Amino acid sequence: MAAQEVCLLKPSEYRGEAGTAVVGRIVIKRMQIIKPKEDKGKAKGKGKGDKEKIEIHISGGDTVADVLYAEAWGDAASNLKNSWNEQQCVSIQNADVVQSGPMYSTSRLPYFLRIKAPVGIRTIIREVTHEPWTNIPLFHPTLPLDALTRIEHQQ
């Protein structure tokens, strides 16, 4: 079966519409193990075990305005852990678009992505190997110092 053609968009242009995918370079990838909180009120054996979470930042250009935060939990995190590496250029299609800014992220976009399992069926992630997407810088974009108004008096 041939791969379906999708319209590739930068993170600042992407809204999650059908037939579109967000594209960018993975500039940060962090794996976490979340341990459940001890709850004295629950019976033994009913609590859940450790949860895996993976966080990735995807840069769609050379400015901070095109950095997108995406996260995956459980099976989706396990699938992503070894599949995609930093500095690879990827497209992500059919992930859930969460309409709120991520709490702990360098992304300035008003949304983030939640990658759902099964990866490859529900959420489709493909490597992108053609221009102009391969021209995205390899590392996380930074701001010039004069754009940091909070410390303006110390420059």
Side-chain angles (χ1 to χ4, degrees):
M1 191 165 119
Q4 186 179 18
E5 285 293 317
V6 296
C7 178
L8 300 178
L9 300 171
K10 296 187 331 182
S12 59
E13 300 167 343
Y14 183 72
R15 298 294 175 259
E17 295 95 359
T20 63
V22 65
V23 66
R25 188 175 304 279
I26 299 173
V27 292
I28 297 175
K29 178 179 162 186
R30 181 175 50 218
M31 187 73 182
Q32 295 179 328
I33 303 294
I34 312 284
K35 297 202 179 285
K37 293 181 181 177
E38 293 294 323
D39 191 0
K40 295 178 183 177
K42 289 191 176 186
K44 289 184 179 179
K46 295 205 176 199
K48 295 183 178 181
D50 296 348
K51 293 182 181 178
E52 282 187 317
K53 176 185 180 188
I54 194 163
E55 301 173 348
I56 57 175
H57 285 80
I58 300 164
S59 177
D62 56 359
T63 67
V64 180
D66 268 320
V67 173
L68 171 64
Y69 172 83
E71 67 181 18
W73 292 82
D75 290 340
S78 297
N79 290 344
L80 288 176
K81 182 172 32 176
N82 299 319
S83 300
W84 305 103
N85 298 312
E86 287 180 338
Q87 300 183 348
Q88 276 187 296
C89 201
V90 297
S91 69
I92 302 174
Q93 183 182 4
N94 299 333
D96 288 348
V97 176
V98 179
Q99 294 296 331
S100 68
M103 290 183 65
Y104 306 107
S105 169
T106 56
S107 176
R108 295 185 172 173
L109 295 172
Y111 73 97
F112 68 94
L113 296 182
R114 186 163 292 134
I115 298 168
K116 296 286 190 168
V119 175
I121 297 172
R122 163 72 168 80
T123 304
I124 300 166
I125 303 175
R126 294 187 180 104
E127 185 171 16
V128 177
T129 57
H130 57 278
E131 291 186 0
W133 307 112
T134 54
N135 295 334
I136 297 171
L138 294 175
F139 301 102
H140 197 293
T142 58
L143 286 173
L145 283 178
D146 57 356
L148 300 175
T149 56
R150 284 184 35 192
I151 58 170
E152 190 172 81
H153 65 282
Q154 295 177 4
Q155 293 179 0

